[in-house]
């Protein structure tokens, strides 16, 4: 979840780096911190550091984090040879590491070798049953293969164990919305609001789902949550402001495009 | 109702929708199609423009309704209205028209019975990027009285044509100059209201 200010900072750094103004490492660190998905840029600029022995040695211990970041970016852009090289370098340095094992399984995923990837993850999970990232890779694989119901299943089982994982609740809510299972999506947002009541994003998302479900009670509840979003964001959130107007006259202005 | 209907897409609409999809490769995208019936030929729908809507939650109503209000308001004066919806799926090998897209199509159908749904064809798009594709990279879906959406071309009725030649050549040009970075959709507008979802300067 990237806020507007952080995104602006990220974009600024990105254009600075693109135009040769330096700050590459700062950019890559920010991308990592915000978990933003800018794989093409990360790949391009990350490789420029890794391929230059001087810049690489200047990184010291961070060199390995960069290898990991570039490997993942390479897999996202389908530059599988680059990914393989990065992972091989990491594997030589950290033999038998769980983190490297995960990257190797991700490479199998990127190649589309689903069965092999599943076996690899199963093996790794046997030794490390509480590794959150590995469980989430299973969800990602199911989603990537188009098996949405399996993804939902895995995610629900994951949340029974790791119920404080907010990103997972959000992901589940978004999947439910894409399946038009609005009641279930609403439940996820309720969990998020209960555990983090001062995060406006959850209030807003909940309001939007309620509005979509329609019906008098839901619309009144939506109005309350749009209002609380406005409260929490000091009136700066456009969607919430529009939302409060829309709930007054649902469908009135759109010549009958009423929420169903 | 939808049978024997021709749809003529303007270059601007076609290019916008492909650029929108290319800007957000890891998520589904959707947008509205704006146009009208041809005066002299009532069985041809002219799709004059595409308004990029969203690259995140396709199934939610508030921003869709907001966009419909504003689009109708803006284009109504010129005699245009919403004539369809375009969609691109999240996954590369997903070639099906999802339920969310169909529902939006159903809404539009109620007010424009010749509504069209355009689905981005990922295979054709890939071929296009390799320089090997001549056809349009979208699939047309229309709805008949049976209340379901059918892919056009499979039974000979309903055709999609491009207004003006060589749209794909122009498209490739824009792609190579990374024009997709400049495209603004309704989501972007709601996040930063100074961004214009009409994309007025996109093709300059």
């Amino acid at each position: 979840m990237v806020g507007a200010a952080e995104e602006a900072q990220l974009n600024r750094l990105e254009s600075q780096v693109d135009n040769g103004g330096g700050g590459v490492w700062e950019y890559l660190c920010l991308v990592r911190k915000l978990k933003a998905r800018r794989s093409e840029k990360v790949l391009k600029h990350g490789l420029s550091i890794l391929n230059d022995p001087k810049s690489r040695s200047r990184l010291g211990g961070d060199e390995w984090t960069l290898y990991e970041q570039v490997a993942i970016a390479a897999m996202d852009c389908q530059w599988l040879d680059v990914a393989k090289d990065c992972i091989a370098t990491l594997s030589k340095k950290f033999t038998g590491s769980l983190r490297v094992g995960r990257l190797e399984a991700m490479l199998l995923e990127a190649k589309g070798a689903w069965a092999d990837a599943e076996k690899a993850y199963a093996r790794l999970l046997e030794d490390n049953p509480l590794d959150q990232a590995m469980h989430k890779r299973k969800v990602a694989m199911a989603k990537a293969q188009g098996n949405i119901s399996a993804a939902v299943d895995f995610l629900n089982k994951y949340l029974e164990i790791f119920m404080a994982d907010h990103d997972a609740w959000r992901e589940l809510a978004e999947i439910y919305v894409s399946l038009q299972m609005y009641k279930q999506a609403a439940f996820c947002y309720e969990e998020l609001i209960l555990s983090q009541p001062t995060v406006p994003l959850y209030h807003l998302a909940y309001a939007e789902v309620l509005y979509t479900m329609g019906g008098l009670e839901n619309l009144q509840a939506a109005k309350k949550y749009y209002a609380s979003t406005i409260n929490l964001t000091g009136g700066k959130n456009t969607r919430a402001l529009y939302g409060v107007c829309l709930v007054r006259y649902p469908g009135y202005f759109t010549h009958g495009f009423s929420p169903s | 109702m939808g049978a024997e209907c021709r749809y003529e897409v303007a270059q601007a609409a076609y290019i916008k929708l492909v650029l929108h999809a290319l800007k957000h490769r890891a998520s589904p995208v959707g947008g509205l199609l704006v146009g009208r019936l041809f005066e002299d030929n009532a069985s041809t729908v002219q799709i004059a423009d595409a308004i990029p809507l969203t690259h995140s939650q396709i199934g939610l109503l508030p921003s869709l309704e907001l966009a419909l209000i504003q689009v109708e308001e803006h284009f109504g004066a010129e005699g245009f209205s919403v004539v369809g919806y375009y969609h691109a799926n999240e996954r590369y090998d997903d070639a099906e028209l999802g339920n969310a897209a169909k529902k939006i199509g159903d809404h539009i159908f109620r007010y424009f019975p010749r509504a069209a749904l355009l689905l981005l064809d990922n295979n054709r798009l890939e071929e296009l990027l390799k320089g090997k594709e001549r056809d349009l990279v979208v699939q047309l879906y229309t709805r008949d009285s049976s209340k379901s959406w059918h892919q056009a071309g499979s039974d000979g009725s309903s055709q999609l044509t491009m207004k003006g030649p060589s749209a794909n050549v122009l498209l490739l040009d824009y792609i190579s100059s990374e024009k997709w970075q400049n495209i603004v959709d309704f989501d972007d507008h709601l996040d930063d209201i100074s961004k214009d979802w009409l994309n007025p300067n996109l093709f300059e």
Side-chain angles (χ1 to χ4, degrees):
Chain A
M1 173 162 71
V2 183
E6 292 156 328
E7 171 136 11
Q9 187 190 9
L10 188 60
N11 290 333
R12 220 178 333 116
L13 268 174
E14 191 174 275
S15 50
Q16 180 188 325
V17 169
D18 276 339
N19 294 323
V24 182
W25 182 240
E26 211 191 327
Y27 171 68
L28 292 169
C29 286
L30 190 56
V31 170
R32 217 175 23 244
K33 176 171 150 219
L34 299 175
K35 298 198 200 158
R37 191 170 181 175
R38 308 259 172 139
S39 303
E40 280 171 349
K41 303 281 176 177
V42 167
L43 187 56
K44 177 167 153 207
H45 299 298
L47 274 182
S48 71
I49 297 187
L50 290 177
N51 287 332
D52 175 24
K54 253 203 338 215
S55 337
R56 209 172 60 220
S57 54
R58 236 184 289 145
L59 292 177
D62 288 330
E63 176 186 357
W64 311 109
T65 326
L66 185 58
Y67 270 114
E68 185 187 31
Q69 191 177 10
V70 170
I72 298 180
M75 287 190 262
D76 208 10
C77 298
Q78 280 284 303
W79 285 35
L80 299 179
D81 293 326
V82 171
K84 214 163 91 168
D85 289 338
C86 291
I87 298 176
T89 317
L90 283 167
S91 178
K92 252 194 292 196
K93 171 85 180 162
F94 303 100
T95 9
S97 145
L98 172 68
R99 201 159 154 181
V100 177
R102 195 167 60 221
L103 284 175
E104 285 166 350
M106 272 175 82
L107 185 58
L108 289 169
E109 267 189 76
K111 288 195 189 141
W114 306 113
D116 293 333
E118 263 194 64
K119 270 196 244 143
Y121 282 128
R123 223 181 324 123
L124 290 164
L125 274 171
E126 257 177 41
D127 304 327
N128 308 276
L130 289 179
D131 187 303
Q132 294 185 301
M134 218 94 74
H135 283 284
K136 291 201 265 196
R137 282 318 312 162
K138 279 180 65 184
V139 178
M141 270 209 302
K143 209 171 161 203
Q145 291 174 77
N147 193 348
I148 307 292
S149 44
V152 167
D153 248 352
F154 285 144
L155 203 41
N156 270 310
K157 290 211 189 77
Y158 171 83
L159 282 166
E160 278 172 30
I161 311 173
F162 301 102
M163 50 189 90
D165 188 335
H166 300 123
D167 287 335
W169 280 111
R170 274 185 74 202
E171 178 68 28
L172 185 57
E174 290 182 8
I175 295 181
Y176 277 136
V177 167
S178 73
L179 294 170
Q180 287 119 59
M181 295 167 72
Y182 299 117
K183 269 223 203 103
Q184 290 86 337
F187 177 78
C188 297
Y189 287 124
E190 284 161 9
E191 288 286 325
L192 284 166
I193 295 175
L194 272 173
S195 61
Q196 293 192 295
T198 57
V199 173
L201 176 67
Y202 305 144
H203 291 248
L204 181 63
Y206 187 46
E208 307 226 298
V209 172
L210 286 170
Y211 183 92
T212 308
M213 292 201 302
L216 192 56
E217 273 182 37
N218 288 328
L219 288 173
Q220 285 181 337
K223 188 161 59 169
K224 287 204 198 121
Y225 282 93
Y226 276 128
S228 62
T229 309
I230 295 175
N231 231 347
L232 289 166
T233 56
K236 296 213 194 102
N237 186 299
T238 315
R239 286 170 211 260
L241 293 170
Y242 270 129
V244 151
C245 300
L246 280 176
V247 284
R248 285 277 282 146
Y249 304 104
Y252 182 83
F253 293 111
T254 54
H255 316 289
F257 280 94
S258 53
S260 49
Chain B
M1 203 87 83
E4 306 302 331
C5 193
R6 292 182 63 236
Y7 296 86
E8 197 185 76
V9 180
Q11 263 184 8
Y14 176 68
I15 294 180
K16 265 197 218 171
L17 78 87
V18 180
L19 288 179
H20 188 211
L22 286 174
K23 184 173 183 188
H24 305 284
R25 296 177 201 222
S27 35
V29 300
L32 296 174
L33 298 170
V34 168
R36 60 180 162 200
L37 277 178
F38 256 135
E39 290 147 10
D40 39 350
N41 184 354
S43 71
T44 304
V45 174
Q46 178 194 20
I47 300 178
D49 204 354
I51 307 294
L53 267 189
T54 174
H55 55 272
S56 52
Q57 311 260 297
I58 306 264
L60 289 178
L61 273 178
S63 44
L64 174 65
E65 290 197 4
L66 211 49
L68 282 167
I69 296 171
Q70 297 203 24
V71 164
E72 300 244 323
E73 186 67 36
H74 180 92
F75 287 98
E78 302 166 34
F80 289 115
S81 63
V82 176
V83 299
Y85 171 77
Y86 72 82
H87 189 85
N89 283 324
E90 186 175 23
R91 287 183 305 112
Y92 174 77
D93 44 8
D94 184 358
E96 270 189 54
L97 190 64
N99 280 324
K102 283 187 192 160
K103 273 187 97 177
I104 297 175
D106 287 338
H107 271 310
I108 298 176
F109 178 82
R110 258 189 265 155
Y111 297 94
F112 190 77
R114 294 207 219 275
L117 284 180
L118 293 181
L119 181 66
L120 187 71
D121 185 323
N122 293 323
N123 282 314
R124 283 203 207 155
L125 180 60
E126 192 180 11
E127 293 296 302
L128 176 73
L129 293 173
K130 290 192 205 152
K132 288 194 228 150
E133 181 63 51
R134 297 291 180 82
D135 289 334
L136 299 178
V137 301
V138 288
Q139 302 274 8
L140 170 70
Y141 286 80
T142 52
R143 201 182 116 160
D144 55 23
S145 43
S146 73
K147 293 195 183 167
S148 57
W149 292 91
H150 294 295
Q151 192 174 342
S154 41
D155 52 355
S157 61
S158 305
Q159 276 178 38
L160 182 68
T161 55
M162 172 68 51
K163 183 169 173 198
S166 58
N168 277 343
V169 173
L170 194 54
L171 180 58
L172 276 175
D173 213 21
Y174 282 127
I175 293 176
S176 57
S177 61
E178 300 205 350
K179 200 67 161 170
W180 71 75
Q181 310 263 19
N182 305 348
I183 243 210
V184 169
D185 64 14
F186 221 79
D187 262 355
D188 300 328
H189 170 74
L190 288 174
D191 289 336
D192 176 358
I193 214 158
S194 66
K195 296 199 177 151
D196 193 349
W197 48 268
L198 283 168
N199 290 290
N201 305 317
L202 185 65
F203 296 123
E204 273 164 27

